[in-house]
Amino acid sequence: EFHAMGAHGVITLAPEGGGTRMRVSIQSPSAEHFEMFVKLGVAEGTGRTLDNLVRSVSRTDARAATG
């Protein structure tokens, strides 16, 4: 769980197939608050953050595999 900019969020990780499914849920206290998130580009920023995380973990996995 996390709190950010007045919203409450939950991240869940669950095994799926050969990987992991990640679900991010964010609850805004009002429609106006949600609209602020949309205008700030939270969805796009979150997507970029997750892409960066995947690249970082992939590099770490590759280094571990090569010793």
Side-chain angles (χ1 to χ4, degrees):
E1 281 188 60
F2 63 92
H3 292 81
M5 298 174 56
H8 175 255
V10 176
I11 299 171
T12 56
L13 301 172
E16 184 171 295
T20 302
R21 175 176 291 274
M22 181 171 129
R23 180 172 184 235
V24 179
S25 173
I26 300 173
Q27 291 182 317
S28 296
S30 67
E32 294 80 15
H33 191 270
F34 176 76
E35 287 300 321
M36 177 193 69
F37 268 31
V38 171
K39 286 180 184 177
L40 289 173
V42 169
E44 294 83 5
T46 300
R48 281 192 300 275
T49 298
L50 295 175
D51 289 344
N52 291 338
L53 176 61
V54 168
R55 278 193 293 277
S56 178
V57 168
S58 295
R59 283 192 303 266
T60 301
D61 285 349
R63 282 191 295 252
T66 59

